[in-house]
Amino acid sequence: VLTSTGSAWQSEAAAGGGKVLQVVSTNITTRPSTTDYDTSGTGGDLGLNVAITPTNSNSKFLINVSIGIATATGMAWGLGAWGIILVRDTTRIGAGVDVSNRNGIFMRGPSYSGDGNFGYTVSFTYYNTTSGTGGSEIIFRANGISQETGTLYLNRSVDEGGLGSGVNACSTITVSEVLA
Protein backbone atom coordinates (compact mmCIF):
# COMPACT_ATOMS: atom_id res chain seq x y z
CA VAL A 1 0.00 0.00 0.00
CA LEU A 2 1.33 3.42 -0.93
CA THR A 3 0.50 6.52 1.09
CA SER A 4 1.22 10.14 0.37
CA THR A 5 3.55 12.16 2.56
CA GLY A 6 2.39 15.34 0.81
CA SER A 7 5.54 15.56 -1.27
CA ALA A 8 6.17 11.92 -2.14
CA TRP A 9 4.72 8.41 -2.01
CA GLN A 10 5.99 5.78 0.40
CA SER A 11 5.09 2.20 1.23
CA GLU A 12 3.30 1.41 4.49
CA ALA A 13 6.40 -0.49 5.60
CA ALA A 14 8.49 2.65 5.20
CA ALA A 15 5.94 4.72 7.12
CA GLY A 16 6.32 2.94 10.46
CA GLY A 17 8.21 0.32 12.41
CA GLY A 18 7.25 -3.24 13.28
CA LYS A 19 6.61 -4.33 9.70
CA VAL A 20 8.03 -7.54 8.28
CA LEU A 21 9.82 -6.59 5.08
CA GLN A 22 10.97 -10.05 3.98
CA VAL A 23 11.32 -13.62 5.22
CA VAL A 24 14.09 -16.01 4.12
CA SER A 25 14.28 -19.64 5.20
CA THR A 26 16.45 -22.73 4.74
CA ASN A 27 15.10 -26.23 5.41
CA ILE A 28 17.55 -29.13 5.91
CA THR A 29 16.24 -32.68 5.43
CA THR A 30 19.64 -34.36 5.13
CA ARG A 31 21.55 -35.59 8.19
CA PRO A 32 24.57 -33.29 8.49
CA SER A 33 27.07 -33.73 11.30
CA THR A 34 29.98 -32.00 13.00
CA THR A 35 32.73 -33.05 15.38
CA ASP A 36 33.52 -29.45 16.39
CA TYR A 37 33.54 -29.14 20.18
CA ASP A 38 35.24 -25.75 20.64
CA THR A 39 32.68 -23.64 22.52
CA SER A 40 34.80 -20.51 22.08
CA GLY A 41 34.61 -20.64 18.27
CA THR A 42 31.72 -20.40 15.84
CA GLY A 43 30.88 -24.13 15.68
CA GLY A 44 30.67 -26.55 12.79
CA ASP A 45 28.60 -25.76 9.70
CA LEU A 46 25.41 -27.87 9.60
CA GLY A 47 23.91 -26.13 6.56
CA LEU A 48 21.47 -24.12 8.68
CA ASN A 49 22.44 -20.89 6.95
CA VAL A 50 20.38 -18.00 5.58
CA ALA A 51 21.64 -15.17 3.40
CA ILE A 52 19.48 -12.05 3.57
CA THR A 53 20.00 -8.66 1.95
CA PRO A 54 18.30 -5.97 4.02
CA THR A 55 16.01 -3.64 2.13
CA ASN A 56 16.30 -0.96 4.82
CA SER A 57 19.31 0.23 6.84
CA ASN A 58 17.18 0.50 10.03
CA SER A 59 15.99 -3.11 9.93
CA LYS A 60 16.41 -5.63 12.73
CA PHE A 61 16.25 -9.43 12.35
CA LEU A 62 14.05 -12.05 13.99
CA ILE A 63 15.77 -15.45 13.79
CA ASN A 64 13.83 -18.67 14.35
CA VAL A 65 15.65 -22.00 14.44
CA SER A 66 13.93 -25.37 14.73
CA ILE A 67 16.09 -28.43 15.26
CA GLY A 68 14.02 -31.44 14.14
CA ILE A 69 16.09 -33.96 16.05
CA ALA A 70 19.67 -33.72 17.29
CA THR A 71 21.79 -36.42 18.84
CA ALA A 72 25.44 -36.70 19.81
CA THR A 73 27.21 -40.04 19.65
CA GLY A 74 30.64 -41.54 20.18
CA MET A 75 31.06 -40.78 23.88
CA ALA A 76 30.68 -42.63 27.15
CA TRP A 77 27.16 -43.30 28.41
CA GLY A 78 25.63 -40.22 30.01
CA LEU A 79 27.66 -37.85 27.85
CA GLY A 80 26.59 -36.60 24.48
CA ALA A 81 25.45 -33.04 25.05
CA TRP A 82 25.37 -30.78 22.03
CA GLY A 83 24.81 -27.09 21.38
CA ILE A 84 24.04 -24.45 18.80
CA ILE A 85 26.14 -21.33 18.26
CA LEU A 86 24.29 -18.55 16.45
CA VAL A 87 26.51 -16.57 14.07
CA ARG A 88 25.95 -13.37 12.10
CA ASP A 89 28.53 -13.31 9.29
CA THR A 90 31.59 -14.25 11.41
CA THR A 91 30.42 -12.94 14.81
CA ARG A 92 28.77 -15.01 17.55
CA ILE A 93 25.43 -13.56 18.64
CA GLY A 94 22.94 -14.46 21.34
CA ALA A 95 25.49 -16.38 23.42
CA GLY A 96 25.20 -16.85 27.15
CA VAL A 97 27.74 -15.43 29.58
CA ASP A 98 31.21 -16.99 29.82
CA VAL A 99 31.87 -18.33 33.35
CA SER A 100 35.31 -19.52 34.38
CA ASN A 101 36.47 -21.99 31.70
CA ARG A 102 32.96 -22.50 30.25
CA ASN A 103 31.97 -20.49 27.22
CA GLY A 104 28.44 -19.24 26.76
CA ILE A 105 26.67 -20.54 23.66
CA PHE A 106 23.23 -19.82 22.22
CA MET A 107 21.48 -23.03 23.26
CA ARG A 108 22.40 -26.43 24.62
CA GLY A 109 20.80 -29.78 23.94
CA PRO A 110 20.57 -32.50 26.56
CA SER A 111 22.87 -35.47 26.95
CA TYR A 112 22.34 -38.77 25.18
CA SER A 113 20.09 -41.02 27.25
CA GLY A 114 21.51 -44.41 26.25
CA ASP A 115 18.42 -45.26 24.14
CA GLY A 116 19.44 -45.62 20.49
CA ASN A 117 16.02 -44.43 19.29
CA PHE A 118 16.35 -41.18 21.15
CA GLY A 119 16.88 -37.62 19.94
CA TYR A 120 15.86 -34.12 20.97
CA THR A 121 13.68 -31.59 19.22
CA VAL A 122 14.14 -27.92 20.09
CA SER A 123 13.16 -24.51 18.74
CA PHE A 124 14.50 -21.12 19.67
CA THR A 125 14.14 -17.48 18.66
CA TYR A 126 16.54 -14.55 18.80
CA TYR A 127 15.91 -10.90 17.95
CA ASN A 128 19.10 -9.39 16.52
CA THR A 129 18.96 -5.64 17.12
CA THR A 130 22.08 -4.77 15.13
CA SER A 131 20.93 -3.08 11.94
CA GLY A 132 22.20 -4.08 8.55
CA THR A 133 23.21 -1.90 5.67
CA GLY A 134 20.56 -1.73 2.99
CA GLY A 135 21.73 -3.76 -0.01
CA SER A 136 24.59 -5.54 1.83
CA GLU A 137 24.10 -9.28 2.35
CA ILE A 138 24.18 -10.77 5.87
CA ILE A 139 24.56 -14.49 6.54
CA PHE A 140 23.02 -15.98 9.68
CA ARG A 141 24.14 -19.46 10.73
CA ALA A 142 23.02 -21.95 13.37
CA ASN A 143 26.24 -23.94 13.77
CA GLY A 144 26.68 -26.99 15.95
CA ILE A 145 29.06 -28.25 18.61
CA SER A 146 29.33 -31.63 20.29
CA GLN A 147 30.60 -32.52 23.74
CA GLU A 148 34.21 -33.70 23.91
CA THR A 149 35.11 -36.01 21.02
CA GLY A 150 31.62 -36.99 19.91
CA THR A 151 29.68 -36.26 16.75
CA LEU A 152 26.55 -34.10 16.59
CA TYR A 153 23.98 -35.29 14.05
CA LEU A 154 20.93 -33.39 12.87
CA ASN A 155 17.66 -34.96 11.78
CA ARG A 156 18.36 -38.50 12.91
CA SER A 157 18.19 -40.76 15.94
CA VAL A 158 21.32 -42.21 17.53
CA ASP A 159 20.45 -45.71 16.26
CA GLU A 160 20.49 -44.70 12.58
CA GLY A 161 21.14 -48.17 11.23
CA GLY A 162 19.68 -50.19 14.09
CA LEU A 163 16.45 -52.08 14.48
CA GLY A 164 14.80 -49.46 16.69
CA SER A 165 11.95 -47.17 15.84
CA GLY A 166 14.09 -44.05 15.50
CA VAL A 167 12.83 -41.37 13.16
CA ASN A 168 14.38 -38.78 10.92
CA ALA A 169 13.23 -35.16 10.84
CA CYS A 170 13.99 -31.79 9.27
CA SER A 171 15.55 -28.63 10.69
CA THR A 172 14.91 -25.03 9.67
CA ILE A 173 16.36 -21.55 10.07
CA THR A 174 14.09 -18.62 9.21
CA VAL A 175 15.15 -14.96 9.29
CA SER A 176 12.63 -12.12 9.09
CA GLU A 177 13.71 -8.58 8.32
CA VAL A 178 11.74 -6.28 10.59
CA LEU A 179 11.56 -2.51 10.19
CA ALA A 180 12.43 -1.02 13.57
Side-chain angles (χ1 to χ4, degrees):
V1 175
L2 294 176
T3 56
S4 175
T5 64
S7 61
W9 291 91
Q10 67 181 14
S11 71
E12 252 185 37
K19 309 283 191 232
V20 174
L21 301 179
Q22 65 175 313
V23 177
V24 182
S25 186
T26 297
N27 186 39
I28 302 292
T29 58
T30 58
R31 294 180 289 274
S33 64
T34 182
T35 57
D36 191 326
Y37 63 93
D38 178 8
T39 59
S40 67
T42 57
D45 186 3
L46 297 169
L48 284 171
N49 309 325
V50 165
I52 188 167
T53 302
T55 59
N56 189 299
S57 294
N58 295 320
S59 295
K60 310 299 183 204
F61 304 94
L62 183 64
I63 305 151
N64 296 290
V65 178
S66 176
I67 304 295
I69 294 178
T71 54
T73 62
M75 293 162 280
W77 185 89
L79 298 177
W82 54 272
I84 298 294
I85 296 175
L86 198 56
V87 180
R88 177 182 169 153
D89 291 327
T90 59
T91 303
R92 294 164 53 111
I93 59 174
V97 175
D98 295 345
V99 177
S100 186
N101 65 340
R102 296 178 182 254
N103 299 106
I105 61 172
F106 185 68
M107 67 85 43
R108 180 184 186 268
S111 299
Y112 168 52
S113 72
D115 178 350
N117 299 312
F118 202 65
Y120 295 92
T121 300
V122 295
S123 295
F124 51 91
T125 302
Y126 180 72
Y127 185 60
N128 183 230
T129 59
T130 303
S131 297
T133 301
S136 296
E137 181 181 77
I138 299 169
I139 299 176
F140 290 98
R141 296 175 174 84
N143 290 341
I145 55 167
S146 179
Q147 184 175 357
E148 295 181 357
T149 59
T151 302
L152 164 64
Y153 293 95
L154 281 190
N155 303 331
R156 62 162 265 191
S157 61
V158 174
D159 193 13
E160 177 73 6
L163 302 174
S165 60
V167 295
N168 297 319
C170 66
S171 298
T172 303
I173 182 171
T174 303
V175 177
S176 302
E177 178 186 4
V178 180
L179 185 60

PDB file of all heavy atoms in Angstrom, residues 22-37:
ATOM      1  N   GLN A  22      10.717  -8.831   4.740  1.00  0.00           N
ATOM      2  CA  GLN A  22      10.974 -10.051   3.977  1.00  0.00           C
ATOM      3  C   GLN A  22      11.271 -11.190   4.939  1.00  0.00           C
ATOM      4  O   GLN A  22      11.675 -10.977   6.072  1.00  0.00           O
ATOM      5  CB  GLN A  22      12.123  -9.863   2.992  1.00  0.00           C
ATOM      6  CG  GLN A  22      13.471  -9.620   3.625  1.00  0.00           C
ATOM      7  CD  GLN A  22      14.593  -9.560   2.601  1.00  0.00           C
ATOM      8  OE1 GLN A  22      14.692 -10.412   1.713  1.00  0.00           O
ATOM      9  NE2 GLN A  22      15.466  -8.557   2.719  1.00  0.00           N
ATOM     10  N   VAL A  23      11.064 -12.402   4.448  1.00  0.00           N
ATOM     11  CA  VAL A  23      11.324 -13.616   5.218  1.00  0.00           C
ATOM     12  C   VAL A  23      12.116 -14.561   4.318  1.00  0.00           C
ATOM     13  O   VAL A  23      11.739 -14.806   3.176  1.00  0.00           O
ATOM     14  CB  VAL A  23      10.009 -14.301   5.665  1.00  0.00           C
ATOM     15  CG1 VAL A  23      10.301 -15.604   6.403  1.00  0.00           C
ATOM     16  CG2 VAL A  23       9.179 -13.356   6.527  1.00  0.00           C
ATOM     17  N   VAL A  24      13.239 -15.074   4.860  1.00  0.00           N
ATOM     18  CA  VAL A  24      14.086 -16.007   4.117  1.00  0.00           C
ATOM     19  C   VAL A  24      14.293 -17.232   5.003  1.00  0.00           C
ATOM     20  O   VAL A  24      14.518 -17.108   6.200  1.00  0.00           O
ATOM     21  CB  VAL A  24      15.445 -15.369   3.752  1.00  0.00           C
ATOM     22  CG1 VAL A  24      16.299 -16.325   2.944  1.00  0.00           C
ATOM     23  CG2 VAL A  24      15.242 -14.061   3.002  1.00  0.00           C
ATOM     24  N   SER A  25      14.206 -18.421   4.399  1.00  0.00           N
ATOM     25  CA  SER A  25      14.284 -19.640   5.196  1.00  0.00           C
ATOM     26  C   SER A  25      15.089 -20.712   4.477  1.00  0.00           C
ATOM     27  O   SER A  25      15.108 -20.774   3.249  1.00  0.00           O
ATOM     28  CB  SER A  25      12.855 -20.148   5.451  1.00  0.00           C
ATOM     29  OG  SER A  25      12.865 -21.233   6.333  1.00  0.00           O
ATOM     30  N   THR A  26      15.750 -21.558   5.267  1.00  0.00           N
ATOM     31  CA  THR A  26      16.448 -22.730   4.744  1.00  0.00           C
ATOM     32  C   THR A  26      15.963 -23.943   5.519  1.00  0.00           C
ATOM     33  O   THR A  26      15.930 -23.930   6.749  1.00  0.00           O
ATOM     34  CB  THR A  26      17.977 -22.594   4.906  1.00  0.00           C
ATOM     35  OG1 THR A  26      18.416 -21.477   4.134  1.00  0.00           O
ATOM     36  CG2 THR A  26      18.703 -23.854   4.442  1.00  0.00           C
ATOM     37  N   ASN A  27      15.584 -24.984   4.817  1.00  0.00           N
ATOM     38  CA  ASN A  27      15.101 -26.227   5.408  1.00  0.00           C
ATOM     39  C   ASN A  27      16.098 -27.335   5.073  1.00  0.00           C
ATOM     40  O   ASN A  27      16.436 -27.531   3.905  1.00  0.00           O
ATOM     41  CB  ASN A  27      13.719 -26.556   4.835  1.00  0.00           C
ATOM     42  CG  ASN A  27      13.088 -27.736   5.506  1.00  0.00           C
ATOM     43  OD1 ASN A  27      13.191 -27.901   6.709  1.00  0.00           O
ATOM     44  ND2 ASN A  27      12.424 -28.567   4.721  1.00  0.00           N
ATOM     45  N   ILE A  28      16.579 -28.055   6.091  1.00  0.00           N
ATOM     46  CA  ILE A  28      17.550 -29.134   5.909  1.00  0.00           C
ATOM     47  C   ILE A  28      16.865 -30.467   6.204  1.00  0.00           C
ATOM     48  O   ILE A  28      16.381 -30.678   7.319  1.00  0.00           O
ATOM     49  CB  ILE A  28      18.759 -28.962   6.852  1.00  0.00           C
ATOM     50  CG1 ILE A  28      19.452 -27.620   6.634  1.00  0.00           C
ATOM     51  CG2 ILE A  28      19.729 -30.120   6.737  1.00  0.00           C
ATOM     52  CD1 ILE A  28      20.151 -27.499   5.319  1.00  0.00           C
ATOM     53  N   THR A  29      16.813 -31.348   5.221  1.00  0.00           N
ATOM     54  CA  THR A  29      16.239 -32.682   5.429  1.00  0.00           C
ATOM     55  C   THR A  29      17.313 -33.768   5.438  1.00  0.00           C
ATOM     56  O   THR A  29      17.022 -34.912   5.766  1.00  0.00           O
ATOM     57  CB  THR A  29      15.202 -33.016   4.349  1.00  0.00           C
ATOM     58  OG1 THR A  29      15.833 -32.932   3.062  1.00  0.00           O
ATOM     59  CG2 THR A  29      14.027 -32.045   4.401  1.00  0.00           C
ATOM     60  N   THR A  30      18.542 -33.397   5.083  1.00  0.00           N
ATOM     61  CA  THR A  30      19.642 -34.358   5.135  1.00  0.00           C
ATOM     62  C   THR A  30      20.067 -34.533   6.588  1.00  0.00           C
ATOM     63  O   THR A  30      19.485 -33.936   7.484  1.00  0.00           O
ATOM     64  CB  THR A  30      20.829 -33.865   4.290  1.00  0.00           C
ATOM     65  OG1 THR A  30      21.238 -32.588   4.785  1.00  0.00           O
ATOM     66  CG2 THR A  30      20.440 -33.751   2.811  1.00  0.00           C
ATOM     67  N   ARG A  31      21.082 -35.332   6.833  1.00  0.00           N
ATOM     68  CA  ARG A  31      21.548 -35.593   8.186  1.00  0.00           C
ATOM     69  C   ARG A  31      22.998 -35.125   8.341  1.00  0.00           C
ATOM     70  O   ARG A  31      23.913 -35.938   8.474  1.00  0.00           O
ATOM     71  CB  ARG A  31      21.381 -37.066   8.511  1.00  0.00           C
ATOM     72  CG  ARG A  31      19.903 -37.451   8.557  1.00  0.00           C
ATOM     73  CD  ARG A  31      19.694 -38.895   8.867  1.00  0.00           C
ATOM     74  NE  ARG A  31      20.058 -39.802   7.800  1.00  0.00           N
ATOM     75  CZ  ARG A  31      19.258 -40.159   6.807  1.00  0.00           C
ATOM     76  NH1 ARG A  31      18.054 -39.701   6.742  1.00  0.00           N
ATOM     77  NH2 ARG A  31      19.664 -41.012   5.904  1.00  0.00           N
ATOM     78  N   PRO A  32      23.202 -33.794   8.355  1.00  0.00           N
ATOM     79  CA  PRO A  32      24.570 -33.288   8.490  1.00  0.00           C
ATOM     80  C   PRO A  32      25.114 -33.541   9.889  1.00  0.00           C
ATOM     81  O   PRO A  32      24.353 -33.779  10.834  1.00  0.00           O
ATOM     82  CB  PRO A  32      24.414 -31.784   8.225  1.00  0.00           C
ATOM     83  CG  PRO A  32      23.015 -31.479   8.633  1.00  0.00           C
ATOM     84  CD  PRO A  32      22.215 -32.714   8.284  1.00  0.00           C
ATOM     85  N   SER A  33      26.432 -33.486  10.005  1.00  0.00           N
ATOM     86  CA  SER A  33      27.067 -33.732  11.302  1.00  0.00           C
ATOM     87  C   SER A  33      28.279 -32.823  11.464  1.00  0.00           C
ATOM     88  O   SER A  33      28.777 -32.248  10.499  1.00  0.00           O
ATOM     89  CB  SER A  33      27.496 -35.191  11.421  1.00  0.00           C
ATOM     90  OG  SER A  33      28.496 -35.489  10.452  1.00  0.00           O
ATOM     91  N   THR A  34      28.747 -32.727  12.710  1.00  0.00           N
ATOM     92  CA  THR A  34      29.980 -32.002  13.003  1.00  0.00           C
ATOM     93  C   THR A  34      30.646 -32.636  14.218  1.00  0.00           C
ATOM     94  O   THR A  34      29.961 -33.160  15.101  1.00  0.00           O
ATOM     95  CB  THR A  34      29.742 -30.503  13.262  1.00  0.00           C
ATOM     96  OG1 THR A  34      31.009 -29.862  13.500  1.00  0.00           O
ATOM     97  CG2 THR A  34      28.824 -30.256  14.442  1.00  0.00           C
ATOM     98  N   THR A  35      31.960 -32.594  14.223  1.00  0.00           N
ATOM     99  CA  THR A  35      32.731 -33.055  15.380  1.00  0.00           C
ATOM    100  C   THR A  35      33.350 -31.879  16.123  1.00  0.00           C
ATOM    101  O   THR A  35      34.125 -32.075  17.049  1.00  0.00           O
ATOM    102  CB  THR A  35      33.841 -34.030  14.946  1.00  0.00           C
ATOM    103  OG1 THR A  35      34.676 -33.369  13.984  1.00  0.00           O
ATOM    104  CG2 THR A  35      33.260 -35.296  14.351  1.00  0.00           C
ATOM    105  N   ASP A  36      32.992 -30.649  15.731  1.00  0.00           N
ATOM    106  CA  ASP A  36      33.516 -29.452  16.388  1.00  0.00           C
ATOM    107  C   ASP A  36      33.036 -29.418  17.838  1.00  0.00           C
ATOM    108  O   ASP A  36      31.861 -29.599  18.110  1.00  0.00           O
ATOM    109  CB  ASP A  36      33.031 -28.206  15.647  1.00  0.00           C
ATOM    110  CG  ASP A  36      33.746 -26.939  16.087  1.00  0.00           C
ATOM    111  OD1 ASP A  36      34.091 -26.829  17.279  1.00  0.00           O
ATOM    112  OD2 ASP A  36      33.953 -26.058  15.236  1.00  0.00           O
ATOM    113  N   TYR A  37      33.940 -29.229  18.775  1.00  0.00           N
ATOM    114  CA  TYR A  37      33.542 -29.140  20.181  1.00  0.00           C
ATOM    115  C   TYR A  37      34.119 -27.896  20.860  1.00  0.00           C
ATOM    116  O   TYR A  37      34.048 -27.756  22.083  1.00  0.00           O
ATOM    117  CB  TYR A  37      33.911 -30.408  20.957  1.00  0.00           C
ATOM    118  CG  TYR A  37      35.386 -30.699  21.035  1.00  0.00           C
ATOM    119  CD1 TYR A  37      36.144 -30.257  22.116  1.00  0.00           C
ATOM    120  CD2 TYR A  37      36.018 -31.431  20.036  1.00  0.00           C
ATOM    121  CE1 TYR A  37      37.505 -30.526  22.188  1.00  0.00           C
ATOM    122  CE2 TYR A  37      37.370 -31.711  20.109  1.00  0.00           C
ATOM    123  CZ  TYR A  37      38.100 -31.255  21.186  1.00  0.00           C
ATOM    124  OH  TYR A  37      39.445 -31.515  21.246  1.00  0.00           O
TER     125      TYR A  37
END
